[in-house]
Amino acid sequence: MEEYIVSARKYRPVTFDTVVGQQALTTTLKNAVKSGKLAHAYLFCGPRGVGKTTCARIFAKAINCMSPTEEGEACGQCESCQAFNEQRSFNIFELDAASNNSVEHIKTLMEQTRIPPQVGKYKVFIIDEVHMLSTAAFNAFLKTLEEPPAHVIFILATTEKHKILPTILSRCQIYDFERMTVRNTIDHLKSVAKKEGITYEEEALAVIAEKADGGMRDALSIFDQAASFCQGNITYQKVIEDLNVLDSENYFQIIDLSIINKVADIMVLLNQIINKGFDGGLLVQGLAKHVRNVLMAKDPQTLPLLEVSDQQRERYQAQAKKCPTPFLYKALQLMNQCDINYRQSSNKRLLVELTLIEIAQITQPEDAPGSGRKPRRLKSLFKQLIQQSQPKTTAPQVAVAEPAASTPTRATQPTKPTTPTARAPKLKSSISLSWGNMRQKMNGGKTILPTDSPQNNGDAENNQPFTPEELQIEWLSMCNRMPQHLSGVATRMKNMNPVITEFPALEVVVENQLAMEQMEQIKGSIVNTLKRDLHNQGITLSMRVAEHKKGERILTRREQYELMEKENPSVAKLREIFDLNLA
């Protein structure tokens, strides 16, 4: 049986022309070989699996070729090329810096640079993963790297250029390798499949290319895995099953349902996806990428930005015609916010569900069909909650009592509405304005606050009954609306529970004397606020400090025994019989 070789090794490029996706770099290197203008040090950097080490080997082979072609490629026939192909060349050395990163390893390498090549022109040292060298090894390498012997060329390769010392970077010609595009990866996989006699669907190869994330080596490894699973016939359904990738059809369905506001159908589809074992966060990320592709498909100028197969591109264009551009912008914003909050969320599924509900409501009309009112949509509900939690900075035309207020000023007030629902908002605004206009003036250590308010004890509407639950709600609402400089008092007041002693008299228990003094300074404003919120001008408030019980002293072991002996004389007799002593 013939020995099996993985595709990443079997189809590894051996010439510059067979390198995929790096045309600019390979052209530069071929021109350097043709002209003979070679630098003493090169640095190849880029992501994994894009051809850095492969290009370094091809370049080293071409440098030592005795009769290179006119295009700058190695001939493959001379003694140097044959020795390289048979892995017996003494002119090309490869060093893995990940496992040989000490100063001693670099010194051994520097000693080898002194010996000139026996066959060929140059000794080429390829140092892979050079960023793994220690700082001391880098410093030992500096002098030789700057002024190496004429017959020595260094080719350094790394995936993390930022970890290399600037003094090393300044001594090298730097070549940045690009990630493989999806189109280049698909074309290369097609050629490999043709050579291996494997049938395929282009959509399946597109899934493999996207999964590889720009690395050709990763793409070939996944291709081998899929070929084994599919038994020589690579189909889209088998690939997504083998790689556990969410079918893109789900994304198309979610967007189609969102446009027509089918929230229930989206929830059913989400449940099916989660039951298959897919994470909600990955669903949101994949859907965001899908919406981005739909947005790119709306304009012919951005259509080339889609790195998908031709069939998928047509589907994106068809869906882009149905999706309004504002819908796509808002959906991207919502999913980006969900992605940010997903890791910190304690109920991740609920967060994903709320995000999909909001996306499905973007195109929902403001007025629900068949009803004369606006629907309580999720996004408008959030907006109302935010507005209610914020203190109002402006108030309607309701006069606020001030110490200098006069009777004519009150006479100019607008007529009170007769219905309670119309009166409540004005009272709330008045309270907000009362807290907003609060001033602190230190006079002998006392805070002066506006405490007087318009009294209408004769009005039945200003002496309405209220329950303990309503009292608690208005108490917390008042604490939330208190100004910033009273935030400490407000926090303490939120932990207090005012009670109705003899209606409408109120009592609140304060935890300590310091809190009592702080609340005494603003007691007038507290009472006036409760009067307005509860519509009862007869409210009074009394405050007292909580009584703290004195803690009992913990008895020692001897005291516990003496107490037992006193309560039960038999314990003393037992101690005498056995002649026991207390430890």
Side-chain angles (χ1 to χ4, degrees):
M1 182 176 179
E2 185 180 355
E3 182 182 1
Y4 174 73
I5 302 176
V6 296
S7 298
R9 292 177 54 199
K10 186 175 182 180
Y11 297 101
R12 191 168 196 168
V14 293
T15 62
F16 286 122
D17 291 336
T18 56
V19 176
V20 180
Q22 310 294 343
Q23 283 76 16
L25 297 181
T26 55
T27 301
T28 305
L29 295 176
K30 286 194 296 184
N31 292 338
V33 173
K34 287 191 298 183
S35 62
K37 297 179 179 179
L38 301 175
H40 63 274
Y42 295 86
L43 175 63
F44 293 169
C45 49
R48 69 183 189 278
V50 295
K52 300 184 297 298
T53 306
T54 297
C55 286
R57 291 175 179 174
I58 297 173
F59 188 44
K61 179 181 177 181
I63 289 173
N64 278 315
C65 180
M66 298 179 178
S67 56
T69 64
E70 295 180 357
E71 290 78 16
E73 297 275 10
C75 68
Q77 304 297 327
C78 64
E79 174 59 25
S80 176
C81 293
Q82 290 293 333
F84 178 83
N85 294 337
E86 297 172 5
Q87 297 183 358
R88 56 181 177 82
S89 175
F90 291 99
N91 293 340
I92 300 174
F93 299 87
E94 287 194 38
L95 178 70
D96 180 20
S99 55
N100 301 277
N101 53 9
S102 64
V103 177
E104 289 74 16
H105 292 117
I106 294 298
K107 288 182 177 179
T108 303
L109 182 68
M110 297 304 101
E111 291 177 357
Q112 295 179 4
T113 61
R114 300 176 183 176
I115 305 173
Q118 303 302 314
V119 178
K121 304 176 183 177
Y122 299 97
K123 267 195 170 183
V124 183
F125 294 87
I126 302 174
I127 304 178
D128 205 3
E129 303 297 335
V130 69
H131 65 274
M132 298 292 289
L133 289 177
S134 63
T135 304
F138 269 130
N139 292 329
F141 188 35
L142 275 176
K143 187 62 178 176
T144 305
L145 184 65
E146 183 175 13
E147 297 179 358
H151 58 270
V152 171
I153 292 179
F154 291 104
I155 303 178
L156 315 179
T158 179
T159 56
E160 301 182 42
K161 183 173 67 173
H162 61 278
K163 292 186 178 180
I164 300 177
L165 297 179
T167 50
I168 298 290
L169 295 176
S170 64
R171 290 167 167 82
C172 301
Q173 281 191 11
I174 301 175
Y175 290 81
D176 291 309
F177 284 68
E178 301 177 355
R179 289 183 179 273
M180 302 294 175
T181 64
V182 173
R183 173 49 54 191
N184 287 338
T185 305
I186 293 175
D187 293 339
H188 187 63
L189 292 179
K190 284 182 179 180
S191 65
V192 173
K194 185 176 180 180
K195 294 175 182 177
E196 292 290 326
I198 298 175
T199 59
Y200 58 87
E201 293 179 1
E202 187 171 346
E203 289 186 357
L205 298 184
V207 172
I208 295 175
E210 292 177 6
K211 186 77 172 178
D213 193 26
M216 185 61 73
R217 182 173 60 238
D218 293 354
L220 291 171
S221 299
I222 299 172
F223 175 82
D224 288 344
Q225 176 183 341
S228 298
F229 180 78
C230 301
Q231 292 296 311
N233 182 22
I234 301 179
T235 62
Y236 176 77
Q237 291 297 331
K238 290 183 179 179
V239 167
I240 63 174
E241 179 183 354
D242 181 37
L243 301 181
N244 196 28
V245 176
L246 186 59
D247 190 354
S248 61
E249 182 65 27
N250 294 293
Y251 301 138
F252 284 101
Q253 290 184 19
I254 291 175
I255 297 303
D256 288 338
L257 293 173
S258 298
I259 296 174
I260 57 178
N261 314 123
K262 296 291 185 180
V263 176
D265 295 341
I266 294 176
M267 294 297 102
V268 173
L269 181 58
L270 173 63
N271 185 66
Q272 295 174 358
I273 294 172
I274 293 179
N275 288 340
K276 291 179 182 178
F278 292 101
D279 182 67
L282 296 178
L283 170 65
V284 172
Q285 294 175 9
L287 186 60
K289 183 178 180 181
H290 174 84
V291 173
R292 176 261 181 195
N293 289 342
V294 175
L295 184 62
M296 295 299 104
K298 290 187 72 70
D299 194 330
Q301 294 181 348
T302 56
L303 190 59
L305 299 179
L306 293 182
E307 294 187 349
V308 295
S309 62
D310 295 336
Q311 296 177 350
Q312 287 288 86
R313 182 179 287 106
E314 293 176 359
R315 293 198 63 186
Y316 280 121
Q317 286 181 296
Q319 190 170 70
K321 295 177 181 178
K322 299 185 293 183
C323 297
T325 303
F327 165 79
L328 299 175
Y329 288 152
K330 185 63 177 177
L332 283 174
Q333 181 183 4
L334 292 172
M335 285 183 287
N336 180 62
Q337 193 63 35
C338 176
D339 187 39
I340 294 173
N341 299 329
Y342 187 81
R343 187 170 298 178
Q344 290 80 19
S345 175
S346 58
N347 193 340
K348 294 179 170 54
R349 175 165 180 168
L350 179 60
L351 177 62
V352 175
E353 290 176 344
L354 288 175
T355 301
L356 294 179
I357 291 172
E358 290 185 271
I359 292 173
Q361 291 179 340
I362 295 175
T363 58
Q364 181 176 324
E366 291 294 332
D367 295 326
S371 65
R373 61 181 178 84
K374 292 184 177 181
R376 291 187 63 83
R377 289 159 56 182
L378 187 64
K379 58 183 180 181
S380 58
L381 178 61
F382 288 163
K383 187 181 297 184
Q384 292 177 7
L385 293 176
I386 293 174
Q387 291 175 350
Q388 290 176 5
S389 64
Q390 294 177 346
K392 297 182 177 63
T393 56
T394 59
Q397 299 297 325
V398 178
V400 180
E402 296 290 341
S406 60
T407 304
T409 304
R410 294 182 181 179
T412 60
Q413 297 178 5
T415 305
K416 290 183 178 180
T418 57
T419 61
T421 57
R423 184 190 72 250
K426 291 193 174 184
L427 289 174
K428 292 285 184 181
S429 301
S430 177
I431 298 306
S432 299
L433 186 59
S434 174
W435 283 113
N437 291 339
M438 184 177 293
R439 302 183 305 274
Q440 282 190 322
K441 298 180 180 179
M442 304 308 296
N443 184 9
K446 296 182 178 181
T447 304
I448 301 175
L449 301 171
T451 58
D452 61 328
S453 61
Q455 302 289 335
N456 292 315
N457 294 330
D459 191 350
E461 294 183 357
N462 290 328
N463 291 280
Q464 296 180 4
F466 55 87
T467 62
E469 291 77 11
E470 293 174 342
L471 171 62
Q472 186 65 30
I473 292 173
E474 296 300 339
W475 179 272
L476 292 176
S477 177
M478 174 186 63
C479 294
N480 291 329
R481 299 196 307 270
M482 291 176 69
Q484 182 65 32
H485 65 274
L486 296 178
S487 59
V489 183
T491 302
R492 295 187 180 93
M493 290 174 59
K494 288 179 181 179
N495 297 323
M496 302 177 188
N497 295 315
V499 296
I500 304 174
T501 54
E502 185 176 352
F503 189 87
L506 310 178
E507 183 185 51
V508 63
V509 179
V510 187
E511 56 185 1
N512 53 50
Q513 186 62 35
L514 177 61
M516 171 71 82
E517 294 175 358
Q518 294 177 340
M519 290 185 63
E520 284 287 354
Q521 296 179 358
I522 59 174
K523 180 178 179 181
S525 295
I526 295 174
V527 174
N528 287 337
T529 301
L530 294 175
K531 287 180 179 179
R532 291 187 176 95
D533 286 353
L534 297 171
H535 312 301
N536 193 310
Q537 296 296 327
I539 291 177
T540 60
L541 178 65
S542 61
M543 299 182 294
R544 63 180 177 86
V545 180
E547 297 180 0
H548 299 283
K549 294 183 180 180
K550 188 175 181 181
E552 298 181 357
R553 187 175 66 85
I554 300 176
L555 301 178
T556 63
R557 296 277 183 165
R558 179 176 291 278
E559 291 173 340
Q560 292 177 3
Y561 172 76
E562 292 175 353
L563 182 62
M564 290 173 56
E565 193 178 66
K566 183 178 179 181
E567 294 177 353
N568 193 348
S570 300
V571 176
K573 293 181 180 180
L574 184 65
R575 182 175 66 84
E576 293 176 359
I577 293 172
F578 288 99
D579 192 19
L580 300 176
N581 294 322
L582 291 177

